[in-house]
Amino acid sequence: MPSIEEILAVERIDDDIYRGGVFPSALRRTFGGQVAGQALISATKTVDPGFGVHSLHGYFLRPGKPDQPAVYLVDRIRDGRSFVTRRVTGVQNGEAIFSMSASFHISGDEGIDHQDLMPRAVDPETLVDRAAEGPNRDLFKEWETFDIRIVPRDQLVTRDGLAAQQRVWFRYRDRLPDDQLLHVCTLAYMSDMTLLGSSKVPHPGVQAQTASLDHAMWFLRPFRTDDWLLYDQTSPSAGGGRALTQGRIFDRAGRMVAAVTQEGLTRTNVPADQISIMKGPR
């Protein structure tokens, strides 16, 4: 597997035009986190280093082809004194596969400060390394550079009134440089992992065609992706072939570092050979 630094190392083709690399994959469609991460790193290359990304909103428009590169076209929507906005379109074969808006905030602003408490969770070291064991070990080999550990149902401290709950510890296995931008883009890549799966928790054994439809993310506090992060996931609603999922990401010290909302396709009335992990509606 390539390193996350290789995945995010987009090539400049021309002003505000970048191209992502092609990497081996067992998936039929390009992993959505790869597209989002490459789009975000492309946007950051057009922004002054004094601004840090604080949010992104993306739509997966078409399934990406993992054996072909994607080209990212960056539009400079606004350059303000405190905020900068960029729009990025990911293209393959002349067709848009991904559209994203990203907002950047100047560093050093001060304001009120509060957050929810981190939910209780067992220590990640006590859980199974899913890349080595378990029924999904072949799938997790797709991301063998990431350590992903799902909290078992019998060890999950649930909250009343929530339809679907799941918690996942994850981290990048190797030490990464002290570059917060790299960690932000790495978390954008990681945030698509396992989140839609939270919608299937109340429906064990149900086979569904799944795909990320849109993805929104807010970066709240500095963090490292090579340290353990807890992904507290819920799915408040599912119906009509779509599921809404939400996630809060905490570091080991209990600081909320990011928040995620995603809607995904969860279609059940499809032939079995069409049920696969895909990014983009069909």
Side-chain angles (χ1 to χ4, degrees):
M1 286 293 297
S3 69
I4 191 64
E5 295 164 286
E6 292 172 318
I7 292 172
L8 297 175
V10 295
E11 172 192 4
R12 180 184 179 275
I13 299 176
D14 205 336
D15 289 348
D16 301 342
I17 303 176
Y18 300 88
R19 178 167 54 204
V22 178
F23 307 100
S25 176
L27 302 180
R28 293 173 54 190
R29 301 291 184 264
T30 307
F31 173 55
Q34 175 178 313
V35 177
Q38 290 180 345
L40 184 57
I41 199 71
S42 299
T44 65
K45 292 182 178 296
T46 70
V47 177
D48 185 279
F51 291 80
V53 60
H54 73 92
S55 68
L56 65 84
H57 299 255
Y59 284 89
F60 298 96
L61 305 175
R62 292 181 177 87
K65 297 178 175 59
D67 59 348
Q68 297 181 20
V71 174
Y72 299 94
L73 313 176
V74 182
D75 291 332
R76 302 182 183 229
I77 302 301
R78 179 178 183 267
D79 287 87
R81 288 178 295 182
S82 297
F83 291 89
V84 169
T85 306
R86 295 291 184 263
R87 182 171 58 224
V88 185
T89 304
V91 178
Q92 279 187 334
N93 298 321
E95 293 185 322
I97 64 169
F98 183 68
S99 176
M100 183 188 76
S101 294
S103 182
F104 299 78
H105 186 200
I106 196 167
S107 60
D109 257 359
E110 296 182 358
I112 62 174
D113 193 338
H114 64 259
Q115 67 158 76
D116 288 346
L117 290 176
M118 176 180 175
R120 288 183 293 166
V122 296
D123 292 335
E125 292 85 359
T126 67
L127 302 176
V128 172
D129 184 345
R130 302 301 287 260
E133 299 182 36
N136 295 319
R137 60 184 177 272
D138 291 337
L139 174 60
F140 278 89
K141 285 181 180 178
E142 183 75 22
W143 302 289
E144 63 186 4
T145 53
F146 296 89
D147 196 340
I148 305 168
R149 306 192 183 195
I150 299 176
V151 177
R153 298 299 299 169
D154 60 359
Q155 299 183 50
L156 186 66
V157 180
T158 58
R159 289 170 284 169
D160 292 339
L162 301 185
Q165 303 174 62
Q166 178 171 266
R167 292 194 189 111
V168 181
W169 286 103
F170 61 5
R171 65 176 176 178
Y172 191 71
R173 292 184 185 274
D174 298 326
R175 191 69 176 174
L176 292 173
D178 298 331
D179 178 359
Q180 186 59 199
L181 174 60
L182 174 63
H183 290 274
V184 165
C185 293
T186 300
L187 189 58
Y189 179 100
M190 296 167 68
S191 64
D192 195 34
M193 297 175 175
T194 72
L195 181 56
L196 189 53
S198 66
S199 68
K200 300 177 71 176
V201 169
H203 313 282
V206 175
Q207 296 296 310
Q209 183 188 46
T210 60
S212 303
L213 298 175
D214 62 1
H215 195 86
M217 193 167 187
W218 295 264
F219 303 94
L220 308 174
R221 293 171 179 83
F223 56 88
R224 296 191 65 91
T225 49
D226 50 10
D227 289 337
W228 284 114
L229 297 170
L230 179 66
Y231 205 169
D232 178 36
Q233 304 169 346
T234 62
S235 177
S237 178
R242 303 189 315 277
L244 179 66
T245 57
Q246 299 172 335
R248 303 180 302 167
I249 301 176
F250 297 84
D251 66 12
R252 198 75 183 266
R255 299 183 313 136
M256 188 187 302
V257 301
V260 188
T261 298
Q262 181 182 90
E263 188 178 43
L265 184 72
T266 51
R267 183 183 290 151
T268 56
N269 58 338
V270 293
D273 61 355
Q274 294 186 29
I275 293 177
S276 64
I277 293 181
M278 301 182 301
K279 301 301 161 188
R282 287 187 63 173

